[in-house]
Amino acid sequence: GAVVSQHPSWVICKSGTSVKIECRSLDFQATTMFWYRQFPKQSLMLMATSNEGSKATYEQGVEKDKFLINHASLTLSTLTVTSAHPEDSSFYICSARPAGVPSEQYFGPGTRLTVT
Amino acid sequence: AQSVTQLDSQVPVFEEAPVELRCNYSSSVSVYLFWYVQYPNQGLQLLLKYLSGSTLVKGINGFEAEFNKSQTSFHLRKPSVHISDTAEYFCAVTPITGGGNKLTFGTGTQLKVEL
């Protein structure tokens, strides 16, 4: 149980285009989902927290207009990188917190984004 | 605010030898503590966690960790490592109350097991 999927697992896009990444909790309902960014050989940096049915809360320094987050249901959150540039190339990882279990987060397998 | 320090960025060790990966944290409030493992190009997998109770926590794959409140440490240990344990290991904390369940991660320790 407690499986989180991400789609796509990797994507290459041209500079200036937008890319949508999906995060799904497959066998549980997630009231909260988190989006992280990880640069090579570095730790995970929290980008934003999304709660089902409400606006995401972004961490300081994260451009909310560039990284659009939607948490439309208890099993799906999406991250859209708008007008992507090469510096947005990174590994994006989501995690999902089951309803009523504040100490748990289950991580997705990550999405490798390369902007050319 | 919380911070997590993993002093060792890389730890080389021979197969079947014991290993300890160090983690220290700083927090003005009580926290839950976690260790995660990340294999190349994959997400994070929970190894173990400390919520309360016994300070010695056993996790998957033969790993264990001990919470030491006075030293604000949560070191990860394995008595005998295997080649398949080669991966990146992250220590993380989250406030027990408040904080929005956000995890604060350390910078990671690359464990490299050699024959």
Side-chain angles (χ1 to χ4, degrees):
Chain A
V3 178
V4 177
S5 70
Q6 279 185 244
H7 178 79
S9 56
W10 59 271
V11 58
I12 301 173
C13 71
K14 292 187 176 181
S15 187
T17 61
S18 295
V19 174
K20 179 184 285 187
I21 302 170
E22 292 186 350
C23 176
R24 291 182 186 272
S25 56
L26 299 184
D27 50 4
F28 65 96
Q29 292 186 330
T31 51
T32 304
M33 289 186 173
F34 302 88
W35 286 95
Y36 298 85
R37 185 173 180 177
Q38 185 181 31
F39 291 103
K41 299 188 184 302
Q42 293 189 28
S43 189
L44 281 72
M45 299 300 296
L46 180 65
M47 299 174 66
T49 303
S50 81
N51 292 295
E52 186 266 338
S54 62
K55 289 186 178 181
T57 302
Y58 291 82
E59 295 300 300
Q60 193 171 11
V62 177
E63 298 176 61
K64 59 183 67 176
D65 294 330
K66 180 169 189 59
F67 298 100
L68 301 179
I69 292 171
N70 183 275
H71 194 157
S73 77
L74 287 172
T75 59
L76 173 65
S77 176
T78 61
L79 168 68
T80 301
V81 183
T82 62
S83 187
H85 289 93
E87 57 265 30
D88 299 323
S89 298
S90 190
F91 194 52
Y92 292 88
I93 303 175
C94 74
S95 70
R97 182 175 72 82
V101 188
S103 63
E104 295 283 353
Q105 281 188 38
Y106 298 100
F107 286 80
T111 297
R112 173 77 58 195
L113 170 63
T114 302
V115 184
T116 61
Chain B
Q2 292 73 45
S3 67
V4 178
T5 302
Q6 292 179 247
L7 287 173
D8 305 307
S9 59
Q10 289 188 356
V11 173
V13 63
F14 288 109
E15 193 174 33
E16 298 184 4
V19 71
E20 178 180 83
L21 306 184
R22 296 180 293 168
C23 172
N24 288 86
Y25 71 95
S26 173
S27 177
S28 57
V29 299
S30 296
V31 295
Y32 295 136
L33 301 105
F34 305 82
W35 273 99
Y36 289 92
V37 60
Q38 184 180 34
Y39 299 100
N41 296 309
Q42 293 188 29
L44 273 66
Q45 181 181 8
L46 179 67
L47 277 177
L48 48 79
K49 61 185 177 184
Y50 175 78
L51 303 183
S52 65
S54 172
T55 57
L56 182 63
V57 181
K58 293 190 183 298
I60 63 171
N61 300 341
F63 284 94
E64 64 180 32
E66 186 153 21
F67 171 53
N68 187 318
K69 189 173 183 179
S70 63
Q71 296 186 6
T72 60
S73 67
F74 191 52
H75 301 332
L76 180 70
R77 304 186 186 97
K78 186 169 182 177
S80 176
V81 296
H82 189 268
I83 287 286
S84 59
D85 293 323
T86 295
E88 189 84 17
Y89 291 79
F90 291 98
C91 181
V93 302
T94 188
I96 293 176
T97 58
N101 306 122
K102 297 179 186 179
L103 283 169
T104 299
F105 287 90
T107 50
T109 298
Q110 175 68 43
L111 175 63
K112 186 174 182 180
V113 181
E114 303 168 351
L115 291 172

